[in-house]
Amino acid sequence: MLSPAQCRAARALIAWSKRDLSAASETAKATIAGFEAGELSPDARTLQHIKRALEDAGVLFIAENGGGAGVRLAKPASASIDTNETETVQYEEYLKNDAPPGAGG
């Protein structure tokens, strides 16, 4: 689900302190510190809260796939492509009909 190393790496990617993660996940800072140090195994619900807070902040978790589990940043929303096909955009240079009659255009 979430390893201590993934948690530490995820916080580093988004420059969050343990306090930041504590506030975002509503988990005690001591719980996060103990988990990341490998001294504590929080219950599944607590780990889910921690993971969800990190995902909401832009972290993607990479599952174990032979190369080891990991983390990376999601692409920023501004990098996405607008795929709204319900909106028609007309550019001025295409508004005039310059095709000969019968061209089928």
Side-chain angles (χ1 to χ4, degrees):
M1 175 179 219
L2 176 67
S3 72
Q6 282 179 303
C7 190
R8 289 189 308 270
R11 280 194 315 102
L13 279 174
I14 56 175
W16 270 12
S17 66
K18 289 182 185 89
R19 182 182 309 229
D20 295 329
L21 180 54
S22 172
S25 65
E26 298 180 356
T27 303
K29 184 180 164 190
T31 300
I32 293 167
F35 171 61
E36 288 186 353
E39 300 167 352
L40 179 68
S41 295
D43 61 43
R45 185 171 176 231
T46 300
L47 288 175
Q48 185 61 36
H49 284 227
I50 293 170
K51 186 176 179 186
R52 178 153 306 151
L54 292 165
E55 288 172 335
D56 288 348
V59 174
L60 292 176
F61 290 90
I62 303 166
E64 173 69 48
N65 59 3
V71 295
R72 71 175 174 204
L73 286 176
K75 286 185 178 178
S78 62
S80 68
I81 298 172
D82 182 9
T83 58
N84 181 359
E85 296 177 7
T86 62
E87 184 179 320
T88 302
V89 178
Q90 289 289 324
Y91 296 97
E92 189 174 322
E93 60 268 23
Y94 295 109
L95 291 177
K96 67 178 181 157
N97 184 3
D98 59 355

